[in-house]
Amino acid sequence: MIKFLTKTLCLAFILLTVNAIAGSNNSFRFAPGITSKDYLPNTLVLKVKPAFRSQCTNNAIEVAQLEQIFNSIQVSDLFKIFPNHQPPAEPFDRYGRAYVDLSLIYQLEYKSNADIVKIINALVATDVLEYAEPKYIPTPQYTPNDPSIAQQSFLTRINAYGGWNISKGDTNVVIGIDDTGSDLDHPDLAANLKHNYNDPVDGIDNDSDGYVDNFNGWDLGENDNDPTVNANTHGSHVSGCAAAVTDNGVGVASPGFYCKFLPIKISDAGGALTKGYEGIVYGADHGCNIINCSWGGGGGGSFGQNAIDYATINKDVLIVCAAGNNNSNQYFYPAAFNYVLSIAATNGTNDNKAGFSNYGNYIDVCSPGNGILSTLYNDTYANNSGTSMASPIAAGCAGIIKSYYPSYNALQVGEKLRVTADTIYSFGTNNTFRATNGLGTGRINLLNALTISSPSVRMNPINVVDNNDNLFVVGDTLRITGDFTNYLDPTTNLTATISVASSPSTFVTILDANTTLGAVGTMTTVNNNADPFTVIINPSAPQNAKITFKVHLQDGAYNDYAMFDVIVNVDYINITVNEVATTNTSKGRICYNANLAQSEGLGFTLNAHNTFAYETGLMIGNAGDVSDVVRNAAVADEDFASINPIQKHDPGIWSDFDTYGRFNDNPAAASLGIEVGHRSFSWAFAPDSRYHIFEYVIRNNGSTTLSSLYAGIFSDWDVPSYANNKANEDVTSKMGYVWSTDSNLYAGIKLLTSGPWNHYALDNIAGGGGGIDISAGFSSAQKYQTLSTSRATAGVAGTGNDVCDVVSTGPFTLNPGDSVRVAFALIAGESLVDIIASAEAAQIKYDLITGVDEVNNVDGISISTVYPNPVSDNAAFNIHLDKSQQLEISVYDILGNHITTVAKGVQPAGNNHYTFKTNSWSDGMYFLRVKGVDKNLNKRFVVGQ
């Protein structure tokens, strides 16, 4: 019932909340399958952090960082969604759960046509908001009428008659119908309508709740006191499914019998469900014990979870939700949220899963939903089918349970209905869903719920760690622990056993499958931290394999299950060894493995700042053809395929964190016939803690010479607010960089290898700002142009705009069988001086770890060897200059530590002789570096024997 066990684990910890949320850096991304039809255009929901409460009013957030963004996106309206709410007086409830504060949640409407994801990430990057997200618009969950089933056989199926012999409910128990409204004078509804006698219809807000004359409920969609259906009659049918008047000699009966219902209209004049989660809050604030939500969609979000948390924790209300009608196991919200009783549908006359009903490990229980006869607007009746019908039938039963067990809290009511359901996996094709508990515990049984005593233990949260980097790859041993809360009758000797529920069990080996939890009292929590489940990932596991685990809970006759997914053998590695957290992948992407979704990775974050990167990846082009893994238009190119998945050297060989792998471009429509070996290098401590090095060795595996080959890194930088970025270059460092005009934060890409350097800055706006226009797509021809031509700046006007950057090297001629090595440093910093210093440090480190060839003569500078070699006490060397010039001559040890500066400043033309002492140095290899204005020379020498 408590939706604890339905999310996919990619890293170390899950607590099931949302489907479109932040990664570890709080960046927003849409869940798969979400389109613009799933949310209101140009509308966001924001929640301000409590620290800024004093700067918040009902229609303004007076924080400079936000106001600047508000101006850039042309905000047209901003208002508190719950203006009458105050922060909770106490932080926690009696079970230690944090109360939810709704008082700082705003709706924002704007006119800009900028990318909504970029706007959200810019807002979150201010560090003023707890979240920013779209305003999701769900749809009612019903399917067309099924005229072959016209009676209420479902009442027998759920044993309602036997349940009514024990309890017919209580008029003090209220079921909120959060829907498109109801039919207030329907002869089979009117007597069960819950009235607000504290606010009669007299034009006055008598109860001072902010709603004038909400005697019969409220119409949130059109903001009036008449919750009667208009454009969409869905809610009138749902009302009767839960709470039609029973035993009155008229029409139909309902499971809720004597329980009352409160209509909460959430649809606008056109029937769109614009106020679903606000309706949950309204119902919670106005006396509902249960709230039914027969609607939903693929869009979740923190706002929806906040509303449910508030209703559950702050107001002790049970939220019952339809699981959706897509015949899919994809997450469906609000049913997949935490603290929700999610209802799948069975046929009304048997217990087979209804063909339309969703299924999956987020389902708690099933209820009849096919051919359900119920009330309809204008005093009529109709048969409708859908999880929209199954959900209120379950909500009506929950009303009876609450009536019979008035001391139960909301979650206990839901658990009682869930744990006493009849198992149905032996019927029809239901066995298909048995392994993963895709139909929950079975079909509800009201009589069982009122007569059977049983524990009900749920596992939440679930923690999965590998005691290392928490990226679960072959050979890792996973340690799985959790909290086990018993909501109902005490256990005597509770045990928990883990198994693999789906995917070949050969992908993993369970080393320790059992733990004993013992006696667990009502509303008591225990854990298995001292005796974790342990699982090892086998070499047979394919990349990104989803392993569904089942934890079997048993205590005598009591059997229950917890389900959760873990993604193993991931083809990306998060790098968190230094101040810049990022991700490297098996196929040329950097920052995110799923780049346009901004998922499967950390982005590119400097300390506590939000991610600097929206999308980053390698591009390799020849004669106009480009192989890459960055955007083309609405989707990304997938031209690289992994040959050897990315792995980590542990411990690092060349740096504190080394990765390596290999891919080719065989999937590309115009394949170049290349194979790429790649490595990355990262260090933990300054001066090397603000960059990562990415190296690519590109081999021509084809039979044709590649005569104009370029390779480069593309990055759509958002530093951190996309709308206020400028791009420029530092020629001396061979670096292109982007910075924020409102925060003085910088990101750069530096070429490290010795080939030609090229930089192209793009204005990522309609028209391209005078350069290449990629606002409608990024073609291969455009990509090759950015690799092979130059543009120094972007975002030059005003405070800047959204920009992208490409740093590349070439052209190279690559004969069949030949290779070329290219390497780049990706850098973050807090000033231009900062990233230039990191660029210099990266060059030094890269030269050391790659064994750079010694260079004796470059453009008028000649250097001799260091002598004697090995050196014991005093070292000497000579430099000949064709003309006087600025030089910096330094010595570094093999780890890249600066040892001494031999000379710095303008050096005269002609022969120059230099000496330095080494008598106090440790024996080993050293590195003499001569840095000119735009050139470097290197010499190795040995101190000691």
Side-chain angles (χ1 to χ4, degrees), residues 38 44 91 95 177 261 277 301 311 330 350 366 382 401-402 462 517 618 660 669 757 765 859 871 878 923:
D38 295 311
L44 299 175
Y95 304 114
I177 305 299
F261 79 97
Y277 294 111
Q330 297 298 309
N350 60 51
C366 295
I401 296 169
K402 179 63 178 177
I462 299 171
L517 302 169
L618 176 69
Y660 63 97
W757 169 74
I765 57 176
D859 296 336
V871 180
N878 298 310
D923 291 352

Side-chain angles (χ1 to χ4, degrees), residues 398-519:
I400 300 292
I401 296 169
K402 179 63 178 177
S403 302
Y404 193 63
Y405 298 102
S407 65
Y408 272 8
N409 65 42
L411 298 181
Q412 288 177 301
V413 170
E415 287 300 302
K416 193 70 170 177
L417 191 61
R418 186 191 70 85
V419 81
T420 59
D422 289 328
T423 183
I424 58 173
Y425 287 109
S426 61
F427 294 98
T429 60
N430 290 354
N431 189 58
T432 306
F433 311 102
R434 183 191 297 270
T436 58
N437 271 47
L439 302 178
T441 56
R443 188 254 308 123
I444 59 174
N445 184 318
L446 182 58
L447 177 61
N448 286 354
L450 299 179
T451 57
I452 292 178
S453 297
S454 171
S456 186
V457 179
R458 309 309 302 269
M459 185 180 179
N460 174 70
I462 299 171
N463 303 282
V464 182
V465 299
D466 63 6
N467 285 356
N468 184 17
D469 56 7
N470 290 325
L471 285 170
F472 307 142
V473 298
V474 168
D476 279 352
T477 297
L478 308 183
R479 292 162 179 83
I480 302 172
T481 60
D483 287 350
F484 298 82
T485 301
N486 182 16
Y487 287 87
L488 296 175
D489 297 282
T491 69
T492 302
N493 187 30
L494 181 67
T495 62
T497 305
I498 195 169
S499 61
V500 177
S502 68
S503 301
S505 58
T506 55
F507 291 172
V508 298
T509 297
I510 297 177
L511 303 178
D512 184 351
N514 303 292
T515 190
T516 299
L517 302 169

Side-chain angles (χ1 to χ4, degrees), residues 258-273:
Y258 288 141
C259 296
K260 298 291 187 178
F261 79 97
L262 179 67
I264 308 162
K265 184 172 175 290
I266 59 174
S267 56
D268 63 15
L273 309 187

Side-chain angles (χ1 to χ4, degrees), residues 583-767:
T583 297
N584 197 12
T585 76
S586 294
K587 48 187 179 291
R589 289 195 175 107
I590 305 171
C591 303
Y592 297 105
N593 195 36
N595 54 349
L596 295 184
Q598 286 196 307
S599 64
E600 300 178 16
L602 303 177
F604 197 74
T605 66
L606 175 63
N607 296 326
H609 297 294
N610 203 51
T611 181
F612 287 10
Y614 182 82
E615 176 196 9
T616 306
L618 176 69
M619 302 192 302
I620 302 173
N622 182 72
D625 293 324
V626 177
S627 294
D628 67 276
V629 284
V630 301
R631 73 187 69 175
N632 49 48
V635 298
D637 284 328
E638 301 286 352
D639 295 338
F640 297 141
S642 173
I643 301 172
N644 301 121
I646 190 168
Q647 298 181 57
K648 174 190 174 187
H649 284 294
D650 195 8
I653 297 174
W654 299 280
S655 71
D656 295 322
F657 199 110
D658 306 334
T659 72
Y660 63 97
R662 185 172 297 274
F663 57 83
N664 60 33
D665 77 332
N666 289 357
S671 173
L672 305 178
I674 56 175
E675 183 175 300
V676 182
H678 62 96
R679 300 191 292 175
S680 73
F681 312 103
S682 307
W683 289 267
F685 303 109
D688 305 297
S689 59
R690 291 191 167 189
Y691 67 83
H692 302 279
I693 291 174
F694 299 88
E695 178 193 77
Y696 307 94
V697 178
I698 305 166
R699 176 185 170 86
N700 182 359
N701 276 353
S703 58
T704 304
T705 297
L706 302 174
S707 57
S708 52
L709 185 80
Y710 290 85
I713 301 291
F714 164 87
S715 189
D716 182 350
W717 294 115
D718 293 341
V719 187
S721 175
Y722 76 96
N724 298 308
N725 284 181
K726 291 177 176 285
N728 210 324
E729 60 187 30
D730 185 70
V731 176
T732 302
S733 300
K734 295 185 178 181
M735 177 172 61
Y737 62 90
V738 171
W739 83 99
S740 168
T741 60
D742 59 1
S743 64
N744 292 319
L745 295 171
Y746 284 70
I749 307 171
K750 171 183 165 49
L751 176 67
L752 293 167
T753 40
S754 58
W757 169 74
N758 185 70
H759 170 240
Y760 196 101
L762 299 97
D763 287 285
N764 191 19
I765 57 176

